[in-house]
Amino acid sequence: MKLPGILALAAPQSVGGQAVIEGVMMRARDTLAIAVRKADGTIVTEVRPWFSLARHPWLKKPFVRGFPVLLETLVNGIKALNFSAMQAAEGDEEGGELTTWHLVLTMVLALGAALGLFVVLPHFLSVGLELLGLAGDVDSLSFHLWDGCIKMAVFVGYILAISLIPDIRRVFEYHGAEHKVIWTWESGKDLSPDATRFFSRLHPRCGTAFLLFVLVVSILLYAVLVPYLLTWYSPEHFLAKHLYIVGMKLFLMIPVSCIAYEMIKFAGKYSRNVLCKALCWPGLMMQVLTTKEPDDSQIEVAIAALQCAVNAEEC
């Protein structure tokens, strides 16, 4: 499919996106578009309906919608990554799309790895500090302070480690291109590399900021709710007690994601407000690590994705 012509965009609708392998995925309302730069230099685009789990009105309500949105974003993101990998490596060959079972398995593995790295590992490292006498019991504030500090260290360390991989750096450059193009769109400017180049690569509605909100909310919620829930039931055996607590923490990720989603929606909507700027600042600083300055060819790919998302009939 060819790249649509440059558009002058006024009164824009809300859009979002994600970097993929040698490309960008953009979403506008119920449509997503993926644009990928192939090995021969051409841009291939794919327009698809947005897979949604929140079809019932109740699932779209504030402080409920966050968890379904997280799951559907993961599904659409994995499928977009799969498409981009096929196009970047093999061209237009068919038959490589993930089956439903492959998608479910990939999601389970991805969620399991994330929860293991950012929930289970910090908890048991904090248990180790408790055994060394450096932290209190799990119902004390010091335990959860250590747990929170370890979470943050693991998060930052993970991002720093993967940023050393050349292919991931390329993804981070496309991540920067995605943000720049969204800023251009939201400012009502012409979608062109010349107009886009000078916009910031940092954006308050970024998924990196969402993950940071998730970490902060989880630290605060665990510090309050875990000791309270232990007053209702607390296994006597040491290992059983901590496995029970980890299970509670995993379940509490549902309300954590719902609260974090509302926070990032609020911060993005009122980004000029002083309080919202303060809320956004840590996430923006984290994006210094997860985005890199793109070149014009990468900006062109992000523009192609956005134009196809908002004008699907032209792609």
Side-chain angles (χ1 to χ4, degrees), residues 27 30 52-66 68-69 72 261-262 265:
R27 178 196 180 184
D30 295 325
S52 178
L53 293 171
R55 300 186 184 278
H56 194 282
W58 185 79
L59 292 175
K60 298 179 181 180
K61 293 184 179 296
F63 295 100
V64 174
R65 59 190 175 181
V69 167
E72 67 187 37
Y261 181 77
E262 298 307 321
K265 289 279 286 186

Side-chain angles (χ1 to χ4, degrees), residues 55-122:
R55 300 186 184 278
H56 194 282
W58 185 79
L59 292 175
K60 298 179 181 180
K61 293 184 179 296
F63 295 100
V64 174
R65 59 190 175 181
F67 188 65
V69 167
L70 176 62
L71 291 180
E72 67 187 37
T73 300
L74 183 59
V75 171
N76 288 291
I78 290 172
K79 293 172 76 173
L81 280 168
N82 181 56
F83 173 82
S84 68
M86 289 169 51
Q87 296 301 324
E90 301 176 10
D92 293 319
E93 295 182 18
E94 299 292 335
E97 289 284 351
L98 290 171
T99 65
T100 300
W101 287 109
H102 285 152
L103 181 61
V104 170
L105 179 60
T106 303
M107 278 190 60
V108 170
L109 290 174
L111 283 171
L115 292 174
L117 194 60
F118 299 114
V119 177
V120 179
L121 178 63

Side-chain angles (χ1 to χ4, degrees), residues 32 39 130 133 266 275 302-303:
L32 70 83
E130 176 189 349
F266 180 81
L275 174 60
I303 289 173

Side-chain angles (χ1 to χ4, degrees), residues 24 111 152 280 296 311:
V24 173
L111 283 171
M152 288 296 182
C280 291
D296 285 357
N311 297 284

